[in-house]
Amino acid sequence: MSTHLPLQQTAGSKQVIPQEPQFISSKLIFVHLPLQLIAPSPQETSTGRYKTWDAFMVVVTGGFGSLGGAFIVSIIFGLLSSYGVQFLSQLAALLMFIFMAVVLVIKPMGLFGERE
Amino acid sequence: MNRKVQWIFWGAAFILLAFYPKIFGIYFTNVFVTFAIFALYAVSFNMLLGYTGLLSFGHAMFFGFGGYGTALALKHIPGLPLLPAVVIGLLAAAGLALILSPIMVRISGTAFAMLHLAFGQLMYILALKLRTVTGGEDGIGGFPIPPFTIPGVISVNMKSPENFFYFAMIVLGVSLWILWYFTKTPLGSIQVGIRDNPMRVDYLGFKVPQTKAVIYIISGAFAGVSGSIYALFQNLISADGAFHIMASFAPVMITMVGGVASFFGPIWGSAIFQIIEELTSRFTERVELVVGLILIMVIMFAPLGFMGFVGFLRQKWSIRFTKGMKRGMGS
């Protein structure tokens, strides 16, 4: 029981709680989200939203800061979606997400990302 | 003295809530129920983002699982009472969180967010494609809503919006209270410790992955409760309303605007969003225009959201106040 006393003093007190989780301010995703929301015409918003997500997914799956990773993964995504429509038309939209999930479960930093 | 003021505040809020449908009428009663549903949804999301430091882009899957769980149970089990239906929604979302937790506790940061995006889209497309179970794009609508009964005591008809308002307030209020109480327990303190320094918490002898899993399941379960109330409130649950990517972003934006780091921040954020939507939709259809602008302003000038801004003002005011006191004493 005595083990959690030092933690409560450091972490449980009220002074600690008003801190910003660090990765929020640093990620560009929060910059482009409002930009999408204010895009002027209805057709444009939906296309822009999904294309941006595709690009973001490619970068995360390939690994942050890796140009070659982004290139290879974008080719893999393209092939997956076009062959997916050919052979598994019902679940074609899922293949990219499944590929990304498998990669991130095995290597959370992305295919060619460096360990943090 | 401070405690007494708090009791008076909560008493006044309770009395206002009790007479709310009588004062404001049916329309604003329904607006308030929507606000409360999204408040619980965003608070359960903030358990992950604000308290544990895990950003999720797919929290809607728990919301949707709760809604679909309740809707399917009411559709297929004849004579199911109301509260067990809500509990089925909670268990469905908690079960999903339990299944996903072994994967999710091992990662954090961007991978956590993107993996949630992937699973959220998986659920969305499954809900669209499994037409025999989920009804595809139409969703499940028109399921029977049973009366709220305590056997042998009362039976309240839930078809009337006023009665449903009281039922929703009790369920959502109790859920919010449970979450608030959870943040005050030792486990809730470890949560903050994991956000600030997981390595140190590990050295102190706490099991970080298991703690994360427990928090994850609790957060998912209460998102499920809000989804199940949402399904009962609309009498409809559909893939676009419950699983779509914008349903995942709603709590992100609500929490950002309300304040990431405080428990009551998301509740204020939900209220702000509801008010903006209510006011804007009287003049123009482009609610997103105003919402996006406000989001930009908040991220640029008040990164801790509404609650952070209030705290900043209060701090400034108290400094000025003490300065004035000193000057007054000097003269």
Side-chain angles (χ1 to χ4, degrees), chain B residues 9 18 22 94 146 187:
Chain B
F9 173 75
K22 298 270 187 299
L187 188 61

Side-chain angles (χ1 to χ4, degrees), chain B residues 13-308:
Chain B
F14 186 76
I15 290 169
L16 185 70
L17 211 59
F19 290 104
Y20 188 90
K22 298 270 187 299
I23 302 170
F24 290 100
I26 297 294
Y27 177 72
F28 285 104
T29 306
N30 286 343
V31 169
F32 196 87
V33 172
T34 315
F35 148 72
I37 288 167
F38 277 93
L40 176 62
Y41 181 30
V43 166
S44 77
F45 171 82
N46 194 33
M47 293 290 281
L48 289 183
L49 177 61
Y51 280 88
T52 321
L54 298 166
L55 174 62
S56 154
F57 281 155
H59 212 57
M61 59 184 167
F62 302 117
F63 188 77
F65 252 65
Y68 271 99
T70 301
L72 283 174
L74 284 174
K75 193 181 169 193
H76 291 295
I77 307 173
L80 184 74
L82 195 58
L83 273 182
V86 175
V87 172
I88 286 174
L90 184 147
L91 289 180
L96 177 68
L98 186 68
I99 292 168
L100 290 183
S101 60
I103 304 169
M104 296 306 182
V105 294
R106 290 171 52 232
I107 54 178
S108 59
T110 322
F112 188 87
M114 294 313 282
L115 208 52
H116 272 83
L117 179 76
F119 279 106
Q121 290 302 99
L122 182 76
M123 297 303 162
Y124 174 62
I125 291 170
L126 283 183
L128 281 182
K129 298 292 175 194
L130 293 175
R131 287 196 185 83
T132 48
V133 183
T134 62
E137 288 182 359
D138 297 335
I140 306 167
F143 47 85
I145 294 180
F148 176 74
T149 44
I150 300 172
V153 187
I154 46 164
S155 169
V156 184
N157 181 17
M158 277 300 139
K159 293 274 161 52
S160 111
E162 262 185 49
N163 293 342
F164 189 81
F165 171 81
Y166 291 119
F167 170 73
M169 282 310 112
I170 290 168
V171 173
L172 298 172
V174 168
S175 308
L176 281 177
W177 183 80
I178 291 171
L179 284 177
W180 181 80
Y181 186 79
F182 176 76
T183 61
K184 301 293 171 197
T185 56
L187 188 61
S189 310
I190 295 171
Q191 195 178 13
V192 181
I194 288 174
R195 180 193 73 191
D196 288 342
N197 198 339
M199 198 83 92
R200 193 166 157 196
V201 174
D202 198 19
Y203 287 155
L204 284 170
F206 296 104
K207 296 190 167 84
V208 174
Q210 285 89 332
T211 316
K212 265 188 182 175
V214 170
I215 293 159
Y216 188 70
I217 290 165
I218 287 174
S219 167
F222 282 100
V225 171
S226 65
S228 129
I229 299 288
Y230 183 74
L232 288 171
F233 174 59
Q234 305 268 359
N235 202 358
L236 168 76
I237 189 90
S238 67
D240 267 336
F243 281 127
H244 194 252
I245 195 164
M246 288 328 271
S248 286
F249 278 129
V252 180
M253 289 193 282
I254 288 173
T255 311
M256 291 296 296
V257 168
V260 185
S262 86
F263 182 84
F264 292 98
I267 300 176
W268 283 110
S270 175
I272 290 169
F273 265 75
Q274 212 66 40
I275 291 168
I276 289 170
E277 215 174 293
E278 204 52 46
L279 290 180
T280 318
S281 57
R282 294 186 185 180
F283 301 108
T284 168
E285 285 176 19
R286 307 238 172 268
V287 180
E288 285 93 346
L289 186 72
V290 181
V291 170
L293 276 178
I294 287 175
L295 204 56
I296 291 174
M297 300 296 256
V298 164
I299 289 167
M300 282 181 72
F301 299 112
L304 281 178
F306 178 75
M307 286 304 269

